[in-house]
């Protein structure tokens, strides 16, 4: 019987240690992830302004008109320059 009790005690000690180590690693890892999530992105780009979005929309529309054959290359370049310069 003493050998059985010793084996159970050893198993309990090993399991308890493993659980404690696992919990500590999990808490440390969660802390690191939280720090990473709160840091500012390195290469954050500002959101496009309405002016930029509207220019992009107009340029896309011009490209579609050109591909449909409605605008010639010269007309396309002229209108594109007007949009980009505004």
């Amino acid at each position: 019987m003493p050998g059985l009790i010793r084996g159970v005690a050893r198993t309990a000690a090993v399991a308890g240690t493993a659980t404690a180590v696992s919990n500590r690693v999990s808490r440390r890892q969660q802390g690191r992830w939280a720090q990473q999530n709160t840091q500012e992105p390195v290469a954050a780009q500002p959101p496009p302004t309405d002016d930029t979005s509207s220019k992009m929309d107009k340029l896309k529309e011009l490209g579609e008109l050109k591909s449909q054959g409605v605008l010639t290359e010269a007309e396309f370049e002229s209108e594109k320059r007007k949009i980009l310069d505004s």
Side-chain angles (χ1 to χ4, degrees):
M1 198 53 105
L4 180 63
I5 294 174
R6 185 180 306 155
V8 170
R10 185 180 306 144
T11 302
V14 169
T17 303
T19 301
V21 169
S22 174
N23 288 341
R24 183 171 180 222
V25 168
S26 293
R27 283 192 304 273
R28 188 182 323 152
Q29 193 173 36
Q30 286 176 349
R32 287 181 183 168
W33 288 342
Q35 285 178 344
Q36 287 176 350
N37 289 341
T38 59
Q39 293 176 351
E40 290 295 318
V42 176
Q45 295 180 350
T49 61
D50 290 336
D51 186 42
T52 304
S53 297
S54 66
K55 283 183 180 183
M56 290 299 293
D57 292 339
K58 289 176 184 177
L59 289 172
K60 287 178 185 177
E61 184 179 332
L62 275 179
E64 290 172 7
L65 291 173
K66 181 184 168 218
S67 66
Q68 294 171 359
V70 176
L71 293 176
T72 65
E73 183 68 31
E75 292 170 328
F76 172 76
E77 289 298 325
S78 172
E79 292 298 316
K80 180 174 82 169
R81 187 56 33 213
K82 287 178 188 176
I83 293 170
L84 293 176
D85 288 342
S86 65

